[in-house]
Amino acid sequence: MVIDRLFPILRTPDLPQLSGFYEQAFGAEVTYRYDHEGVDVYVALAVGGGQIGIGLEADIARGDAIAVWFYTDDVDATYAAALAAGAASVAPPEDLPWGERVAQARDPDGNLLYVATTTRP
């Protein structure tokens, strides 16, 4: 068996808000959308070299079921962009002993985001 790709799917009661957050904060681009009776119920977003899906689920409970990790060339700028787009800070950028600079935030639905860059050559 060979798995050729995988991606997280976030579930949200407010798909336009969450999709807009990822587009604004991380430059994500909608690559696919599925609608039901004229209302988007699923979008796929390309961001960096990966993808993330967002599905509409009116009664979904928020929680810590998923964390999304973004590698970037500038943690501080990416973290600031996420906050400007509506993320809530969990931990500001910090150099960690294993050779990465990492920040944490929560998107508008409370999903945990890690933003990181390698600090060692």
PDB file of all heavy atoms in Angstrom, residues 47-85:
ATOM      1  N   VAL A  47      -1.845  25.857   0.302  1.00  0.00           N
ATOM      2  CA  VAL A  47      -1.030  26.783   1.081  1.00  0.00           C
ATOM      3  C   VAL A  47       0.376  26.219   1.138  1.00  0.00           C
ATOM      4  O   VAL A  47       0.579  25.079   1.550  1.00  0.00           O
ATOM      5  CB  VAL A  47      -1.629  27.042   2.481  1.00  0.00           C
ATOM      6  CG1 VAL A  47      -1.803  25.782   3.273  1.00  0.00           C
ATOM      7  CG2 VAL A  47      -0.811  28.050   3.259  1.00  0.00           C
ATOM      8  N   GLY A  48       1.328  27.006   0.661  1.00  0.00           N
ATOM      9  CA  GLY A  48       2.690  26.495   0.552  1.00  0.00           C
ATOM     10  C   GLY A  48       2.698  25.282  -0.343  1.00  0.00           C
ATOM     11  O   GLY A  48       2.094  25.275  -1.399  1.00  0.00           O
ATOM     12  N   GLY A  49       3.328  24.221   0.075  1.00  0.00           N
ATOM     13  CA  GLY A  49       3.361  22.992  -0.698  1.00  0.00           C
ATOM     14  C   GLY A  49       2.304  21.993  -0.281  1.00  0.00           C
ATOM     15  O   GLY A  49       2.323  20.849  -0.699  1.00  0.00           O
ATOM     16  N   GLY A  50       1.359  22.416   0.557  1.00  0.00           N
ATOM     17  CA  GLY A  50       0.362  21.487   1.062  1.00  0.00           C
ATOM     18  C   GLY A  50      -1.053  21.948   0.811  1.00  0.00           C
ATOM     19  O   GLY A  50      -1.293  22.937   0.122  1.00  0.00           O
ATOM     20  N   GLN A  51      -1.982  21.204   1.372  1.00  0.00           N
ATOM     21  CA  GLN A  51      -3.392  21.531   1.260  1.00  0.00           C
ATOM     22  C   GLN A  51      -4.082  21.354   2.595  1.00  0.00           C
ATOM     23  O   GLN A  51      -3.645  20.565   3.438  1.00  0.00           O
ATOM     24  CB  GLN A  51      -4.072  20.618   0.240  1.00  0.00           C
ATOM     25  CG  GLN A  51      -3.680  20.913  -1.173  1.00  0.00           C
ATOM     26  CD  GLN A  51      -4.759  20.449  -2.144  1.00  0.00           C
ATOM     27  OE1 GLN A  51      -5.855  20.073  -1.755  1.00  0.00           O
ATOM     28  NE2 GLN A  51      -4.438  20.487  -3.409  1.00  0.00           N
ATOM     29  N   ILE A  52      -5.167  22.078   2.756  1.00  0.00           N
ATOM     30  CA  ILE A  52      -6.023  21.938   3.915  1.00  0.00           C
ATOM     31  C   ILE A  52      -7.463  22.020   3.415  1.00  0.00           C
ATOM     32  O   ILE A  52      -7.757  22.777   2.491  1.00  0.00           O
ATOM     33  CB  ILE A  52      -5.718  23.034   4.965  1.00  0.00           C
ATOM     34  CG1 ILE A  52      -6.434  22.766   6.272  1.00  0.00           C
ATOM     35  CG2 ILE A  52      -6.019  24.417   4.452  1.00  0.00           C
ATOM     36  CD1 ILE A  52      -5.955  23.646   7.415  1.00  0.00           C
ATOM     37  N   GLY A  53      -8.309  21.204   3.979  1.00  0.00           N
ATOM     38  CA  GLY A  53      -9.726  21.248   3.642  1.00  0.00           C
ATOM     39  C   GLY A  53     -10.505  21.871   4.784  1.00  0.00           C
ATOM     40  O   GLY A  53     -10.101  21.775   5.942  1.00  0.00           O
ATOM     41  N   ILE A  54     -11.613  22.517   4.446  1.00  0.00           N
ATOM     42  CA  ILE A  54     -12.502  23.066   5.469  1.00  0.00           C
ATOM     43  C   ILE A  54     -13.923  22.681   5.094  1.00  0.00           C
ATOM     44  O   ILE A  54     -14.378  22.967   3.986  1.00  0.00           O
ATOM     45  CB  ILE A  54     -12.381  24.598   5.595  1.00  0.00           C
ATOM     46  CG1 ILE A  54     -10.932  25.006   5.896  1.00  0.00           C
ATOM     47  CG2 ILE A  54     -13.326  25.111   6.670  1.00  0.00           C
ATOM     48  CD1 ILE A  54     -10.700  26.505   5.923  1.00  0.00           C
ATOM     49  N   GLY A  55     -14.600  22.007   6.029  1.00  0.00           N
ATOM     50  CA  GLY A  55     -15.963  21.567   5.790  1.00  0.00           C
ATOM     51  C   GLY A  55     -16.939  22.256   6.718  1.00  0.00           C
ATOM     52  O   GLY A  55     -16.629  22.516   7.880  1.00  0.00           O
ATOM     53  N   LEU A  56     -18.125  22.554   6.214  1.00  0.00           N
ATOM     54  CA  LEU A  56     -19.176  23.192   6.998  1.00  0.00           C
ATOM     55  C   LEU A  56     -19.927  22.142   7.805  1.00  0.00           C
ATOM     56  O   LEU A  56     -20.425  21.161   7.252  1.00  0.00           O
ATOM     57  CB  LEU A  56     -20.156  23.912   6.058  1.00  0.00           C
ATOM     58  CG  LEU A  56     -21.354  24.596   6.717  1.00  0.00           C
ATOM     59  CD1 LEU A  56     -20.890  25.725   7.635  1.00  0.00           C
ATOM     60  CD2 LEU A  56     -22.297  25.124   5.647  1.00  0.00           C
ATOM     61  N   GLU A  57     -19.944  22.329   9.113  1.00  0.00           N
ATOM     62  CA  GLU A  57     -20.717  21.469  10.009  1.00  0.00           C
ATOM     63  C   GLU A  57     -21.299  22.355  11.096  1.00  0.00           C
ATOM     64  O   GLU A  57     -20.585  22.805  11.988  1.00  0.00           O
ATOM     65  CB  GLU A  57     -19.852  20.362  10.614  1.00  0.00           C
ATOM     66  CG  GLU A  57     -19.448  19.327   9.589  1.00  0.00           C
ATOM     67  CD  GLU A  57     -18.919  18.060  10.228  1.00  0.00           C
ATOM     68  OE1 GLU A  57     -19.417  17.671  11.300  1.00  0.00           O
ATOM     69  OE2 GLU A  57     -18.007  17.475   9.628  1.00  0.00           O
ATOM     70  N   ALA A  58     -22.587  22.607  10.995  1.00  0.00           N
ATOM     71  CA  ALA A  58     -23.246  23.588  11.859  1.00  0.00           C
ATOM     72  C   ALA A  58     -23.101  23.291  13.344  1.00  0.00           C
ATOM     73  O   ALA A  58     -22.983  24.209  14.151  1.00  0.00           O
ATOM     74  CB  ALA A  58     -24.720  23.694  11.478  1.00  0.00           C
ATOM     75  N   ASP A  59     -23.103  22.034  13.736  1.00  0.00           N
ATOM     76  CA  ASP A  59     -23.136  21.694  15.165  1.00  0.00           C
ATOM     77  C   ASP A  59     -21.817  21.181  15.716  1.00  0.00           C
ATOM     78  O   ASP A  59     -21.791  20.536  16.759  1.00  0.00           O
ATOM     79  CB  ASP A  59     -24.228  20.644  15.417  1.00  0.00           C
ATOM     80  CG  ASP A  59     -25.606  21.175  15.080  1.00  0.00           C
ATOM     81  OD1 ASP A  59     -25.843  22.381  15.286  1.00  0.00           O
ATOM     82  OD2 ASP A  59     -26.438  20.392  14.592  1.00  0.00           O
ATOM     83  N   ILE A  60     -20.727  21.457  15.052  1.00  0.00           N
ATOM     84  CA  ILE A  60     -19.434  20.926  15.482  1.00  0.00           C
ATOM     85  C   ILE A  60     -18.963  21.637  16.759  1.00  0.00           C
ATOM     86  O   ILE A  60     -19.077  22.848  16.892  1.00  0.00           O
ATOM     87  CB  ILE A  60     -18.370  21.038  14.362  1.00  0.00           C
ATOM     88  CG1 ILE A  60     -17.169  20.163  14.671  1.00  0.00           C
ATOM     89  CG2 ILE A  60     -17.953  22.468  14.113  1.00  0.00           C
ATOM     90  CD1 ILE A  60     -17.441  18.711  14.550  1.00  0.00           C
ATOM     91  N   ALA A  61     -18.474  20.882  17.697  1.00  0.00           N
ATOM     92  CA  ALA A  61     -17.922  21.447  18.929  1.00  0.00           C
ATOM     93  C   ALA A  61     -16.472  21.834  18.691  1.00  0.00           C
ATOM     94  O   ALA A  61     -15.729  21.127  18.015  1.00  0.00           O
ATOM     95  CB  ALA A  61     -18.021  20.430  20.056  1.00  0.00           C
ATOM     96  N   ARG A  62     -16.063  22.929  19.255  1.00  0.00           N
ATOM     97  CA  ARG A  62     -14.673  23.372  19.119  1.00  0.00           C
ATOM     98  C   ARG A  62     -13.815  22.648  20.136  1.00  0.00           C
ATOM     99  O   ARG A  62     -14.275  22.252  21.192  1.00  0.00           O
ATOM    100  CB  ARG A  62     -14.577  24.873  19.321  1.00  0.00           C
ATOM    101  CG  ARG A  62     -15.310  25.615  18.241  1.00  0.00           C
ATOM    102  CD  ARG A  62     -15.230  27.094  18.444  1.00  0.00           C
ATOM    103  NE  ARG A  62     -16.013  27.733  17.390  1.00  0.00           N
ATOM    104  CZ  ARG A  62     -15.862  28.975  17.024  1.00  0.00           C
ATOM    105  NH1 ARG A  62     -14.978  29.737  17.607  1.00  0.00           N
ATOM    106  NH2 ARG A  62     -16.597  29.482  16.067  1.00  0.00           N
ATOM    107  N   GLY A  63     -12.546  22.480  19.789  1.00  0.00           N
ATOM    108  CA  GLY A  63     -11.678  21.790  20.734  1.00  0.00           C
ATOM    109  C   GLY A  63     -10.276  21.656  20.194  1.00  0.00           C
ATOM    110  O   GLY A  63      -9.872  22.353  19.270  1.00  0.00           O
ATOM    111  N   ASP A  64      -9.545  20.731  20.764  1.00  0.00           N
ATOM    112  CA  ASP A  64      -8.149  20.532  20.413  1.00  0.00           C
ATOM    113  C   ASP A  64      -7.934  19.250  19.629  1.00  0.00           C
ATOM    114  O   ASP A  64      -6.926  18.573  19.796  1.00  0.00           O
ATOM    115  CB  ASP A  64      -7.296  20.501  21.685  1.00  0.00           C
ATOM    116  CG  ASP A  64      -7.175  21.874  22.313  1.00  0.00           C
ATOM    117  OD1 ASP A  64      -7.135  22.863  21.562  1.00  0.00           O
ATOM    118  OD2 ASP A  64      -7.120  21.957  23.547  1.00  0.00           O
ATOM    119  N   ALA A  65      -8.848  18.910  18.762  1.00  0.00           N
ATOM    120  CA  ALA A  65      -8.746  17.664  18.019  1.00  0.00           C
ATOM    121  C   ALA A  65      -7.705  17.714  16.917  1.00  0.00           C
ATOM    122  O   ALA A  65      -7.298  16.681  16.403  1.00  0.00           O
ATOM    123  CB  ALA A  65     -10.106  17.293  17.424  1.00  0.00           C
ATOM    124  N   ILE A  66      -7.251  18.905  16.545  1.00  0.00           N
ATOM    125  CA  ILE A  66      -6.294  19.019  15.449  1.00  0.00           C
ATOM    126  C   ILE A  66      -5.353  20.187  15.711  1.00  0.00           C
ATOM    127  O   ILE A  66      -5.726  21.156  16.354  1.00  0.00           O
ATOM    128  CB  ILE A  66      -7.020  19.207  14.095  1.00  0.00           C
ATOM    129  CG1 ILE A  66      -6.054  19.071  12.924  1.00  0.00           C
ATOM    130  CG2 ILE A  66      -7.749  20.534  14.047  1.00  0.00           C
ATOM    131  CD1 ILE A  66      -6.725  18.940  11.592  1.00  0.00           C
ATOM    132  N   ALA A  67      -4.148  20.052  15.229  1.00  0.00           N
ATOM    133  CA  ALA A  67      -3.197  21.160  15.203  1.00  0.00           C
ATOM    134  C   ALA A  67      -2.599  21.185  13.806  1.00  0.00           C
ATOM    135  O   ALA A  67      -2.362  20.139  13.209  1.00  0.00           O
ATOM    136  CB  ALA A  67      -2.103  20.979  16.243  1.00  0.00           C
ATOM    137  N   VAL A  68      -2.402  22.378  13.275  1.00  0.00           N
ATOM    138  CA  VAL A  68      -1.845  22.534  11.936  1.00  0.00           C
ATOM    139  C   VAL A  68      -0.485  23.212  12.079  1.00  0.00           C
ATOM    140  O   VAL A  68      -0.363  24.242  12.739  1.00  0.00           O
ATOM    141  CB  VAL A  68      -2.776  23.363  11.034  1.00  0.00           C
ATOM    142  CG1 VAL A  68      -2.211  23.479   9.625  1.00  0.00           C
ATOM    143  CG2 VAL A  68      -4.172  22.749  10.998  1.00  0.00           C
ATOM    144  N   TRP A  69       0.541  22.626  11.447  1.00  0.00           N
ATOM    145  CA  TRP A  69       1.911  23.116  11.551  1.00  0.00           C
ATOM    146  C   TRP A  69       2.298  23.725  10.203  1.00  0.00           C
ATOM    147  O   TRP A  69       2.186  23.074   9.176  1.00  0.00           O
ATOM    148  CB  TRP A  69       2.840  21.951  11.886  1.00  0.00           C
ATOM    149  CG  TRP A  69       4.207  22.356  12.314  1.00  0.00           C
ATOM    150  CD1 TRP A  69       5.215  22.793  11.507  1.00  0.00           C
ATOM    151  CD2 TRP A  69       4.741  22.352  13.637  1.00  0.00           C
ATOM    152  NE1 TRP A  69       6.333  23.066  12.248  1.00  0.00           N
ATOM    153  CE2 TRP A  69       6.062  22.803  13.567  1.00  0.00           C
ATOM    154  CE3 TRP A  69       4.217  22.013  14.880  1.00  0.00           C
ATOM    155  CZ2 TRP A  69       6.882  22.922  14.672  1.00  0.00           C
ATOM    156  CZ3 TRP A  69       5.027  22.129  15.979  1.00  0.00           C
ATOM    157  CH2 TRP A  69       6.344  22.580  15.880  1.00  0.00           C
ATOM    158  N   PHE A  70       2.750  24.980  10.218  1.00  0.00           N
ATOM    159  CA  PHE A  70       3.187  25.679   9.019  1.00  0.00           C
ATOM    160  C   PHE A  70       4.674  25.972   9.145  1.00  0.00           C
ATOM    161  O   PHE A  70       5.095  26.597  10.118  1.00  0.00           O
ATOM    162  CB  PHE A  70       2.470  27.028   8.867  1.00  0.00           C
ATOM    163  CG  PHE A  70       1.000  26.930   8.624  1.00  0.00           C
ATOM    164  CD1 PHE A  70       0.110  26.883   9.688  1.00  0.00           C
ATOM    165  CD2 PHE A  70       0.503  26.896   7.332  1.00  0.00           C
ATOM    166  CE1 PHE A  70      -1.256  26.809   9.464  1.00  0.00           C
ATOM    167  CE2 PHE A  70      -0.857  26.825   7.104  1.00  0.00           C
ATOM    168  CZ  PHE A  70      -1.738  26.778   8.168  1.00  0.00           C
ATOM    169  N   TYR A  71       5.471  25.531   8.174  1.00  0.00           N
ATOM    170  CA  TYR A  71       6.871  25.962   8.102  1.00  0.00           C
ATOM    171  C   TYR A  71       6.923  27.182   7.197  1.00  0.00           C
ATOM    172  O   TYR A  71       6.287  27.210   6.151  1.00  0.00           O
ATOM    173  CB  TYR A  71       7.784  24.858   7.559  1.00  0.00           C
ATOM    174  CG  TYR A  71       8.236  23.909   8.634  1.00  0.00           C
ATOM    175  CD1 TYR A  71       7.638  22.671   8.774  1.00  0.00           C
ATOM    176  CD2 TYR A  71       9.231  24.263   9.532  1.00  0.00           C
ATOM    177  CE1 TYR A  71       8.027  21.793   9.774  1.00  0.00           C
ATOM    178  CE2 TYR A  71       9.638  23.396  10.536  1.00  0.00           C
ATOM    179  CZ  TYR A  71       9.030  22.170  10.645  1.00  0.00           C
ATOM    180  OH  TYR A  71       9.418  21.306  11.643  1.00  0.00           O
ATOM    181  N   THR A  72       7.692  28.188   7.605  1.00  0.00           N
ATOM    182  CA  THR A  72       7.776  29.446   6.878  1.00  0.00           C
ATOM    183  C   THR A  72       9.212  29.954   6.933  1.00  0.00           C
ATOM    184  O   THR A  72      10.004  29.491   7.745  1.00  0.00           O
ATOM    185  CB  THR A  72       6.813  30.484   7.498  1.00  0.00           C
ATOM    186  OG1 THR A  72       6.943  31.722   6.810  1.00  0.00           O
ATOM    187  CG2 THR A  72       7.098  30.701   8.971  1.00  0.00           C
ATOM    188  N   ASP A  73       9.525  30.903   6.086  1.00  0.00           N
ATOM    189  CA  ASP A  73      10.870  31.480   6.118  1.00  0.00           C
ATOM    190  C   ASP A  73      10.968  32.620   7.126  1.00  0.00           C
ATOM    191  O   ASP A  73      12.058  33.086   7.434  1.00  0.00           O
ATOM    192  CB  ASP A  73      11.294  31.962   4.727  1.00  0.00           C
ATOM    193  CG  ASP A  73      10.430  33.088   4.200  1.00  0.00           C
ATOM    194  OD1 ASP A  73       9.319  33.314   4.728  1.00  0.00           O
ATOM    195  OD2 ASP A  73      10.859  33.746   3.231  1.00  0.00           O
ATOM    196  N   ASP A  74       9.839  33.093   7.662  1.00  0.00           N
ATOM    197  CA  ASP A  74       9.842  34.209   8.609  1.00  0.00           C
ATOM    198  C   ASP A  74       8.726  34.007   9.632  1.00  0.00           C
ATOM    199  O   ASP A  74       7.582  34.417   9.412  1.00  0.00           O
ATOM    200  CB  ASP A  74       9.666  35.529   7.867  1.00  0.00           C
ATOM    201  CG  ASP A  74       9.840  36.756   8.763  1.00  0.00           C
ATOM    202  OD1 ASP A  74       9.680  36.639  10.001  1.00  0.00           O
ATOM    203  OD2 ASP A  74      10.124  37.834   8.221  1.00  0.00           O
ATOM    204  N   VAL A  75       9.064  33.365  10.729  1.00  0.00           N
ATOM    205  CA  VAL A  75       8.076  33.066  11.770  1.00  0.00           C
ATOM    206  C   VAL A  75       7.427  34.337  12.299  1.00  0.00           C
ATOM    207  O   VAL A  75       6.210  34.413  12.452  1.00  0.00           O
ATOM    208  CB  VAL A  75       8.710  32.276  12.936  1.00  0.00           C
ATOM    209  CG1 VAL A  75       7.783  32.215  14.134  1.00  0.00           C
ATOM    210  CG2 VAL A  75       9.079  30.893  12.484  1.00  0.00           C
ATOM    211  N   ASP A  76       8.233  35.346  12.571  1.00  0.00           N
ATOM    212  CA  ASP A  76       7.697  36.563  13.182  1.00  0.00           C
ATOM    213  C   ASP A  76       6.659  37.232  12.273  1.00  0.00           C
ATOM    214  O   ASP A  76       5.586  37.625  12.731  1.00  0.00           O
ATOM    215  CB  ASP A  76       8.834  37.519  13.536  1.00  0.00           C
ATOM    216  CG  ASP A  76       9.737  36.933  14.608  1.00  0.00           C
ATOM    217  OD1 ASP A  76      10.560  36.049  14.281  1.00  0.00           O
ATOM    218  OD2 ASP A  76       9.608  37.320  15.780  1.00  0.00           O
ATOM    219  N   ALA A  77       6.960  37.345  10.991  1.00  0.00           N
ATOM    220  CA  ALA A  77       6.028  37.972  10.049  1.00  0.00           C
ATOM    221  C   ALA A  77       4.780  37.118   9.845  1.00  0.00           C
ATOM    222  O   ALA A  77       3.667  37.640   9.776  1.00  0.00           O
ATOM    223  CB  ALA A  77       6.722  38.228   8.710  1.00  0.00           C
ATOM    224  N   THR A  78       4.946  35.810   9.766  1.00  0.00           N
ATOM    225  CA  THR A  78       3.805  34.919   9.569  1.00  0.00           C
ATOM    226  C   THR A  78       2.903  34.926  10.796  1.00  0.00           C
ATOM    227  O   THR A  78       1.674  34.973  10.684  1.00  0.00           O
ATOM    228  CB  THR A  78       4.281  33.494   9.244  1.00  0.00           C
ATOM    229  OG1 THR A  78       5.136  33.546   8.102  1.00  0.00           O
ATOM    230  CG2 THR A  78       3.119  32.574   8.954  1.00  0.00           C
ATOM    231  N   TYR A  79       3.494  34.906  11.969  1.00  0.00           N
ATOM    232  CA  TYR A  79       2.746  34.979  13.222  1.00  0.00           C
ATOM    233  C   TYR A  79       1.975  36.297  13.294  1.00  0.00           C
ATOM    234  O   TYR A  79       0.783  36.318  13.623  1.00  0.00           O
ATOM    235  CB  TYR A  79       3.729  34.834  14.379  1.00  0.00           C
ATOM    236  CG  TYR A  79       3.179  35.045  15.756  1.00  0.00           C
ATOM    237  CD1 TYR A  79       2.391  34.078  16.379  1.00  0.00           C
ATOM    238  CD2 TYR A  79       3.480  36.196  16.472  1.00  0.00           C
ATOM    239  CE1 TYR A  79       1.912  34.257  17.668  1.00  0.00           C
ATOM    240  CE2 TYR A  79       3.013  36.387  17.768  1.00  0.00           C
ATOM    241  CZ  TYR A  79       2.225  35.420  18.352  1.00  0.00           C
ATOM    242  OH  TYR A  79       1.761  35.594  19.633  1.00  0.00           O
ATOM    243  N   ALA A  80       2.627  37.401  12.944  1.00  0.00           N
ATOM    244  CA  ALA A  80       1.970  38.709  12.954  1.00  0.00           C
ATOM    245  C   ALA A  80       0.807  38.740  11.961  1.00  0.00           C
ATOM    246  O   ALA A  80      -0.256  39.299  12.260  1.00  0.00           O
ATOM    247  CB  ALA A  80       2.977  39.818  12.638  1.00  0.00           C
ATOM    248  N   ALA A  81       0.981  38.131  10.785  1.00  0.00           N
ATOM    249  CA  ALA A  81      -0.091  38.079   9.788  1.00  0.00           C
ATOM    250  C   ALA A  81      -1.274  37.273  10.308  1.00  0.00           C
ATOM    251  O   ALA A  81      -2.435  37.645  10.096  1.00  0.00           O
ATOM    252  CB  ALA A  81       0.427  37.493   8.477  1.00  0.00           C
ATOM    253  N   ALA A  82      -0.988  36.178  11.004  1.00  0.00           N
ATOM    254  CA  ALA A  82      -2.064  35.364  11.571  1.00  0.00           C
ATOM    255  C   ALA A  82      -2.844  36.165  12.618  1.00  0.00           C
ATOM    256  O   ALA A  82      -4.076  36.137  12.638  1.00  0.00           O
ATOM    257  CB  ALA A  82      -1.506  34.080  12.176  1.00  0.00           C
ATOM    258  N   LEU A  83      -2.135  36.879  13.487  1.00  0.00           N
ATOM    259  CA  LEU A  83      -2.808  37.686  14.498  1.00  0.00           C
ATOM    260  C   LEU A  83      -3.633  38.793  13.849  1.00  0.00           C
ATOM    261  O   LEU A  83      -4.778  39.047  14.250  1.00  0.00           O
ATOM    262  CB  LEU A  83      -1.798  38.278  15.483  1.00  0.00           C
ATOM    263  CG  LEU A  83      -1.008  37.278  16.337  1.00  0.00           C
ATOM    264  CD1 LEU A  83      -0.093  38.028  17.308  1.00  0.00           C
ATOM    265  CD2 LEU A  83      -1.911  36.316  17.073  1.00  0.00           C
ATOM    266  N   ALA A  84      -3.079  39.431  12.817  1.00  0.00           N
ATOM    267  CA  ALA A  84      -3.800  40.497  12.122  1.00  0.00           C
ATOM    268  C   ALA A  84      -5.059  39.970  11.429  1.00  0.00           C
ATOM    269  O   ALA A  84      -6.042  40.697  11.282  1.00  0.00           O
ATOM    270  CB  ALA A  84      -2.880  41.177  11.108  1.00  0.00           C
ATOM    271  N   ALA A  85      -5.029  38.696  11.038  1.00  0.00           N
ATOM    272  CA  ALA A  85      -6.182  38.093  10.365  1.00  0.00           C
ATOM    273  C   ALA A  85      -7.218  37.568  11.351  1.00  0.00           C
ATOM    274  O   ALA A  85      -8.271  37.096  10.945  1.00  0.00           O
ATOM    275  CB  ALA A  85      -5.712  36.965   9.450  1.00  0.00           C
TER     276      ALA A  85
END
